[in-house]
Amino acid sequence: MEGIEHRTVEVNGIKMHVAEKGDGPVVLFLHGFPELWYSWRHQILALSTLGYRAVAPDLRGYGDTDVPSSVSSYTILHLVADIVALIDSLGVDQVFLVAHDWGAIVGWHVCLLRPERIRAYVCLSVPFMPRNPKVRPVDAMRALYGDDYYICRFQEPGKAEAMYGNNNLEPVIKSMLTSRRPGPPILPKEGVVSNPDHSRPLPSWLSQEDLTYYASKFAKTGLTGGLNYYRNLNLNWELTAAWTGVQVKVPVKFITGDLDVVYTSLGMKDYIKSGAFKKDVPYLEEVVVQEGVAHFNNQEAAEDLNNVVTIDLFCNIDGNPLTPEAKLDVGFVFVAWIRCRDWFKLTK
């Protein structure tokens, strides 16, 4: 795809597939479930033309990266260690981080545990979720939404895999990526795609070629690797007890859609709007809620996101944010890019 290079690197005892393009400061992209490096195809192309080195791995258990067989090989400590080792392999001390869904959760923990490796963080969909020392997360979700809440249904190894089926995952992936139903995902007893509507057209932002690519990769690995992330939520709670109450202290911009299933469940709106999010993440610069956009905003609203990533955060952390008038100027993107380049030179 348009000059994107692919290679495999050894990180934390596994072989990780990485896609990258461009030269300059590193912007590292972390995908979610059920996604791949490919979810960042638009951002890789856009950022690489503006003087950045855009890097997007297949995370542990996905795509062309190794898929460890043990459920316990997918704890948050494994995932953070993978990313720190990947940053080391890139030959840089710090990166700009952009992450979505489960990648966002991993991103928050990289910022929490190794903040010195992150220059700034653009987080999509999943805000920081502080550890509640009184209750394990899956237990809390089950109490709130019942056993059919999707995360609760994912807990038993093999059960979700049987529900989704392994022979033809294309309708499953299509259903997940194109869903626009807000609120907590409750999975029907008869199966997620028991009666898939194959005739429903794909949205403009997802082509049949895109869908075929996803399906071909998950046909090789299955969904187990990604599902194992969910199966470690309670164990992660135990492993991160020492960080209870610790704030995330890196510059952050948070972006979500108003139809996002995370934003519209688990009390996330109240958490974000009440100021509690800002208290936990004191360097939170802005929250952007995209109207009419659902969960996979990195693909559905790719152009909008590209502008936010390249301009609104990375060009503001020099302490001199652009004025509203400058943002309306036809030369805004070019001027902002020059200002970013100047800031990078000054901070090297």
Side-chain angles (χ1 to χ4, degrees):
M1 177 186 285
E2 300 185 50
I4 296 177
E5 298 179 355
H6 297 266
R7 61 192 179 96
T8 299
V9 296
E10 298 267 356
V11 298
N12 192 30
I14 65 170
K15 294 180 180 179
M16 175 175 278
H17 166 249
V18 177
E20 64 178 295
K21 185 177 183 182
D23 295 298
V26 174
V27 183
L28 179 59
F29 296 94
L30 306 182
H31 68 79
F33 176 85
E35 296 182 278
L36 303 162
W37 75 268
Y38 189 80
S39 301
W40 301 108
R41 58 198 179 278
H42 306 296
Q43 288 75 34
I44 292 173
L45 298 178
L47 272 289
S48 64
T49 64
L50 293 175
Y52 298 96
R53 181 183 177 188
V55 179
D58 285 332
L59 296 180
R60 173 182 292 243
Y62 287 89
D64 293 320
T65 292
D66 283 349
V67 184
S69 59
S70 171
V71 174
S72 61
S73 294
Y74 294 83
T75 73
I76 198 64
L77 298 186
H78 287 87
L79 303 175
V80 169
D82 291 349
I83 301 309
V84 172
L86 175 59
I87 295 172
D88 289 340
S89 78
L90 298 174
V92 297
D93 293 327
Q94 291 186 315
V95 299
F96 291 109
L97 186 63
V98 183
H100 171 257
D101 189 76
W102 253 106
I105 296 173
V106 176
W108 284 118
H109 283 85
V110 174
C111 293
L112 182 69
L113 304 181
R114 297 298 303 272
E116 78 281 3
R117 307 309 300 267
I118 306 301
R119 283 189 174 187
Y121 181 29
V122 174
C123 177
L124 311 183
S125 177
V126 182
F128 180 66
M129 293 182 284
R131 182 181 182 275
N132 182 345
K134 297 181 179 180
V135 60
R136 300 189 303 176
V138 178
D139 298 350
M141 294 171 189
R142 182 172 284 111
L144 188 60
Y145 294 127
D147 290 335
D148 291 338
Y149 183 57
Y150 79 111
I151 290 177
C152 300
R153 291 280 292 276
F154 286 174
Q155 293 304 302
E156 185 179 335
K159 190 170 183 178
E161 289 89 333
M163 175 180 64
Y164 286 124
N166 288 318
N167 295 327
N168 180 17
L169 288 171
E170 183 172 307
V172 175
I173 296 168
K174 176 182 177 182
S175 176
M176 290 183 178
L177 293 181
T178 61
S179 173
R180 304 187 64 76
R181 181 182 299 172
I186 305 299
L187 303 186
K189 290 283 196 305
E190 63 272 15
V192 179
V193 287
S194 56
N195 294 296
D197 182 3
H198 295 290
S199 65
R200 185 177 58 173
L202 290 169
S204 60
W205 52 268
L206 185 70
S207 70
Q208 183 58 50
E209 181 182 3
D210 298 332
L211 188 58
T212 298
Y213 183 85
Y214 283 115
S216 69
K217 294 300 181 181
F218 282 104
K220 184 184 76 170
T221 64
L223 295 172
T224 299
L227 291 169
N228 284 342
Y229 286 47
Y230 296 93
R231 292 166 181 156
N232 278 282
L233 282 169
N234 279 348
L235 178 56
N236 293 341
W237 178 84
E238 297 177 18
L239 295 173
T240 57
W243 288 272
T244 301
V246 176
Q247 295 175 313
V248 173
K249 292 188 175 181
V250 300
V252 172
K253 183 158 209 169
F254 178 73
I255 308 169
T256 189
D258 63 356
L259 301 179
D260 190 292
V261 294
V262 178
Y263 182 62
T264 55
S265 60
L266 296 171
M268 291 301 180
K269 281 186 183 180
D270 290 340
Y271 171 67
I272 292 168
K273 294 179 178 180
S274 69
F277 187 20
K278 176 72 172 179
K279 182 178 179 181
D280 292 329
V281 185
Y283 302 151
L284 175 68
E285 294 193 352
E286 187 178 4
V287 172
V288 176
V289 180
Q290 300 165 306
E291 292 186 11
V293 176
H295 182 63
F296 295 94
N297 56 342
N298 54 334
Q299 298 184 72
E300 180 181 349
E303 184 175 353
D304 182 30
L305 177 62
N306 294 346
N307 291 334
V308 170
V309 171
T310 56
I311 296 164
D312 286 344
L313 178 60
F314 298 157
C315 295
N316 286 355
I317 58 177
D318 60 354
N320 296 298
L322 295 172
T323 65
E325 292 77 15
K327 290 189 178 184
L328 294 175
D329 190 89
V330 292
F332 166 53
V333 173
F334 178 74
V335 171
W337 176 61
I338 293 297
R339 289 185 58 184
C340 281
R341 298 287 290 188
D342 289 342
W343 183 83
F344 286 130
K345 291 176 183 177
L346 290 172
T347 56
K348 283 185 177 178

